[in-house]
Amino acid sequence: MKPNCGAASTAFGQAQSIIRMLETECDVWALKTRDIPIWWFVRDRFYAQLLKHFDSGQGETTPTNTGSVFENLSHLLSICPKATIFAVRSLIGMIRLMRVEKSQFPKESIIFLSLSSTFRGAKGEGLSDMYFDPIYEVISSKSILIERTSLNELDFRSLLLRKDAVFFDWLLLRALLKLFPNLWRTPRIKGWRSLQVTCQSIDFGGISSGHLLEMLQSVIDGSSRKVVVQVEASRMLVQAVNPGAIIEICSYDSAPRAMNLVAKRQGIPIVELQHGIGSSLYIVYSYWLPSGYQGEKPVPDRIMVFGEAFKKTILGNGSIFAPENIVVAGFPRLSIFLNKLEREGRDLLRKKTRRRVGLAQDVFVLTVTSITATSSCMNKFLKEALRALPEDEIAICIKPHPGEGNTWKRSYRDLIQDPRVTILKDRDIDLYDLLVASDAHATVCSTVFLESLALGVPTIIFGCPGYQNALEVVDEGEILFVNDEKAFVAKLTKLAGDAAYRQEVVSRGMEAAKRFFAVGSSPVETIIREIDRCQQ
C-alpha cells in the first residue's frame, strides 16, 4: 500500500518555498545582531515554526505563554539540578582548559567539538564517542576534545565518566559573565527595516508578510542572547587554543554555527562528520544564497558523508556546497562493527547477545528504536502486535533514544508490564549487537533504519509522524512500510513464517544500503586524510 504523504508534503513544500523566497528575494542574510549574521543561526528553528504553522492549519495566531503557575514552578525546579551540573562542569572545564593551555600541545592542534549524547557504551565494554573516537584515537596527541553543553542528564554522566574532555560550560559561563550587563535588553536587529520593505511585495502563499515577519522576529528575539553568548564563548576558546582545524557534527546547530563563524573569521578550516539521515525535507544543508552573495558563510569546508546518496542529496538542494566540499568517507562506527561481525560470525554474536539480555534463542525478536516525538504513535502498533500474536512467538525489545531521558516510561507504560517486552538502553547492550540478534527492526525515521539494512536486518517503517523522511531517502520496496496496526502484524507474521520472503527483504535492504554507506575503503583513513588536506 502506497503511503499517503499529501498533507505533510504540502507543509514541507510550503515551508521550504518560503525559506527559499526569503533567502533569494529578501535581505534576510543581511540581518545582524551585534555584528553576528543572525539568520544563519535561526533559519532551522524558523523553518520548524513554519512547519508547525502549516501542519496545525490554525491560521495566523501569535504564540502566547499559557503555562499555569504549577507548570512554571515545575520548570523552575527542574532548572536547579541542571544549574548545579552546569556549575560543576564549568569548574572542571576551567581546570582542564588551564592544563591544555599550560601543556606542550603542538601548535595548531585539532579541536573535536563533541556532544554528551554521542558518548555511549554498554556496561562492561566502556563508553566512547560513536562519531569521533575512531578518529580521535589515531590523532589524539595533537587533538583537544571539547564537549558542548546539553543541559540534560547526559551532561552529568559525562561529568562522571569522561576524563579527557574539556567541558564547554566553562567558556559559556565566562562569556555570560562578561556580557551579562548588556544582555538585559533584547539585541537590536540591524537590517530589519530593509527586510520589511522587500517582503511587502512578495506573495508567500498561505501566510501574509506581516505575520511571517512577526514569527521571524519572535524566533530571533528568543535566540539572539544565546547566540551572542555562544559566539563570545567560541571566540574565547579559539583564542586560548589557537586550533589548526575544527572537527564537528551538526554544523547547523547554534553552538557549532557560532564556532564556525569565529573559525571562518580567523581562517581556521572546519570538517563536519555526518550525523543523521540528511533528508531533503529538512533544510540543514540547503542554503539558497542569492547571486553575488558576499556575506559570511559559517559552514564547514568539508562534509564527510556516509555514502553517495547523501552527497547527491546535499548537492541537489541549495547552492552553497560544491562537489569537492562533500567527501564520501563511509561511517567509521559501522565499518568497525562489520569487521567485528565478519571475525566473530553472525550466529555466535546473535547467541551471545540473546544470552546477555535474557532472550530465548528460538523466539522471534523485534527491536524497536524509539524517539520522543513518535513514541506514543509507535505504542499503538506494538500493543496490537502483542494482542494479536501468540505469547510464545514474539519478544519485543524497545531501545529508547538517549534524548528521551525517562519519558519512555510514560509513552510505553501500557507495554512494560508485559513479560514479552524488554526495555534496553545503551548501557545494557550495544545497538548493533542488539540489531544483529533481532529478526526484525521497526522505527519511524533515524539513521538506525539505514544501519539496520546494512546489517542485514529487515526494517519496518511505522506510518507515524516523520515517516516521510524515511521514504524520501529509500525507494518503495527497499523497506517495509505499514500504515496501520493490522498491516504491521501481517508483516511480522510473514517475516516470522516465510524464510524465503525474509531473505528477499534482507537482500533488497543490503543492496539499498550500498548507496548510503561506502564500502571498500577505511572511513578513518579517508577522514584523517581530508583533515590533513584542509590544514595545508
Side-chain angles (χ1 to χ4, degrees):
M1 176 181 175
K2 190 173 180 63
N4 178 16
C5 306
S9 297
T10 300
F12 282 111
Q14 287 176 300
Q16 285 194 10
S17 176
I18 287 173
I19 296 293
R20 185 191 292 263
M21 284 189 284
L22 285 172
E23 294 189 343
T24 57
E25 301 180 40
C26 300
D27 291 331
V28 71
W29 296 106
L31 296 178
K32 286 197 172 185
T33 296
R34 297 184 184 175
D35 200 36
I36 297 171
I38 195 65
W39 173 248
W40 288 96
F41 292 84
V42 302
R43 66 192 301 274
D44 296 332
R45 180 171 294 185
F46 181 60
Y47 179 66
Q49 287 291 99
L50 288 173
L51 286 177
K52 184 178 180 181
H53 169 84
F54 289 119
D55 276 336
S56 67
Q58 292 178 355
E60 300 188 355
T61 59
T62 303
T64 57
N65 181 10
T66 58
S68 69
V69 172
F70 294 106
E71 289 173 336
N72 292 331
L73 179 59
S74 174
H75 176 67
L76 181 63
L77 291 174
S78 73
I79 291 175
C80 295
K82 293 178 181 179
T84 302
I85 295 170
F86 177 80
V88 177
R89 280 171 57 99
S90 296
L91 178 61
I92 301 298
M94 177 189 70
I95 294 170
R96 291 180 181 176
L97 185 59
M98 288 174 63
R99 289 176 184 168
V100 169
E101 291 177 288
K102 291 179 180 178
S103 67
Q104 299 300 313
F105 243 82
K107 289 185 177 180
E108 298 194 335
S109 54
I110 297 170
I111 284 180
F112 283 81
L113 196 58
S114 180
L115 270 172
S116 59
S117 61
T118 62
F119 185 57
R120 307 180 190 177
K123 191 182 297 182
E125 297 181 4
L127 279 72
S128 62
D129 190 294
M130 58 188 291
Y131 293 97
F132 290 141
D133 268 13
I135 301 99
Y136 178 74
E137 288 170 357
V138 177
I139 56 176
S140 60
S141 61
K142 59 177 182 179
S143 302
I144 302 167
L145 189 64
I146 307 294
E147 185 180 280
R148 291 162 47 190
T149 307
S150 300
L151 292 178
N152 59 34
E153 64 182 29
L154 298 177
D155 279 1
F156 180 64
R157 185 192 63 182
S158 283
L159 174 63
L160 298 177
L161 300 174
R162 205 165 198 177
K163 307 302 183 183
D164 56 348
V166 175
F167 300 123
F168 196 66
D169 308 52
W170 166 237
L171 285 308
L172 288 174
L173 180 59
R174 280 183 59 194
L176 184 61
L177 292 173
K178 177 182 176 180
L179 300 171
F180 189 74
N182 299 318
L183 293 177
W184 286 104
R185 291 167 51 182
T186 303
R188 190 169 66 88
I189 307 170
K190 296 181 180 178
W192 187 257
R193 178 56 186 159
S194 175
L195 180 67
Q196 288 178 311
V197 172
T198 54
C199 282
Q200 284 178 351
S201 59
I202 296 174
D203 179 8
F204 290 103
I207 185 169
S208 68
S209 62
H211 183 62
L212 187 74
L213 293 182
E214 281 182 18
M215 292 172 60
L216 177 56
Q217 184 164 14
S218 176
V219 172
I220 293 176
D221 289 347
S223 305
S224 57
R225 292 182 181 89
K226 180 183 75 170
V227 170
V228 168
V229 172
Q230 288 174 327
V231 170
E232 178 60 22
S234 299
R235 187 196 64 77
M236 289 176 172
L237 177 62
V238 168
Q239 184 180 43
V241 176
N242 188 28
I246 293 171
I247 318 300
E248 65 187 13
I249 56 173
C250 305
S251 65
Y252 40 85
D253 284 349
S254 183
R257 184 82 78 193
M259 188 69 70
N260 293 350
L261 181 67
V262 173
K264 287 284 188 175
R265 288 175 173 178
Q266 300 192 27
I268 300 169
I270 306 157
V271 177
E272 178 180 6
L273 310 186
Q274 181 181 342
H275 171 277
I277 201 169
S279 165
S280 62
L281 291 180
Y282 286 95
I283 62 166
V284 292
Y285 295 115
S286 302
Y287 304 93
W288 293 282
L289 298 177
S291 177
Y293 177 80
Q294 297 296 318
E296 296 181 281
K297 300 176 185 177
V299 297
D301 298 284
R302 295 280 194 285
I303 302 177
M304 314 300 296
V305 296
F306 299 150
E308 285 289 345
F310 296 115
K311 180 172 182 174
K312 290 180 180 178
T313 296
I314 293 174
L315 293 178
N317 295 277
S319 59
I320 195 170
F321 295 110
E324 58 268 23
N325 299 131
I326 317 297
V327 179
V328 176
F331 188 12
R333 182 192 183 205
L334 180 62
S335 178
I336 291 168
F337 182 83
L338 288 173
N339 290 335
K340 168 189 169 181
L341 191 61
E342 187 175 350
R343 289 193 311 270
E344 296 190 13
R346 178 179 289 267
D347 289 342
L348 178 60
L349 185 59
R350 174 187 172 97
K351 290 176 181 177
K352 284 170 52 180
T353 302
R354 288 198 173 204
R355 280 198 303 269
R356 178 172 178 175
V357 297
L359 294 170
Q361 297 294 336
D362 58 348
V363 72
F364 184 92
V365 175
L366 169 71
T367 286
V368 179
T369 48
S370 171
I371 54 175
T372 306
T374 59
S375 55
S376 296
C377 175
M378 294 164 70
N379 185 43
K380 295 187 298 182
F381 285 87
L382 300 179
K383 285 174 66 176
E384 177 62 21
L386 290 170
R387 188 197 65 78
L389 297 174
E391 287 191 14
D392 59 345
E393 289 189 9
I394 189 170
I396 296 177
C397 295
I398 299 177
K399 168 65 178 61
H401 189 277
E404 285 189 82
N406 288 319
T407 60
W408 60 267
K409 293 180 179 179
R410 181 173 63 253
S411 301
Y412 300 112
R413 62 181 177 273
D414 296 335
L415 298 177
I416 55 180
Q417 303 302 321
D418 193 304
R420 293 172 291 174
V421 176
T422 304
I423 303 293
L424 293 170
K425 295 188 175 184
D426 286 322
R427 65 172 178 263
D428 299 316
I429 193 70
D430 177 80
L431 174 60
Y432 286 172
D433 286 347
L434 179 60
L435 288 172
V436 169
S438 303
D439 298 290
H441 166 241
T443 191
V444 176
C445 184
S446 72
T447 315
V448 179
F449 97 83
L450 296 175
E451 295 165 277
S452 180
L453 297 181
L455 293 171
V457 182
T459 292
I460 300 172
I461 299 297
F462 293 120
C464 295
Y467 74 87
Q468 300 90 351
N469 294 294
L471 299 183
E472 271 288 306
V473 297
V474 292
D475 296 328
E476 193 176 356
E478 292 177 331
I479 47 92
L480 304 175
F481 176 81
V482 292
N483 215 6
D484 57 60
E485 293 87 340
K486 289 184 178 179
F488 177 51
V489 172
K491 291 292 185 188
L492 288 178
T493 302
K494 191 166 185 178
L495 285 171
D498 190 335
Y501 171 73
R502 185 180 185 280
Q503 186 54 49
E504 179 188 344
V505 172
V506 167
S507 298
R508 287 202 309 263
M510 294 184 74
E511 185 63 30
K514 294 177 183 178
R515 301 199 310 272
F516 302 102
F517 300 104
V519 294
S521 60
S522 167
V524 172
E525 291 178 3
T526 302
I527 291 169
I528 292 176
R529 184 169 60 247
E530 289 300 320
I531 293 172
D532 290 339
R533 286 179 180 173
C534 283
Q535 289 185 280
Q536 292 172 1

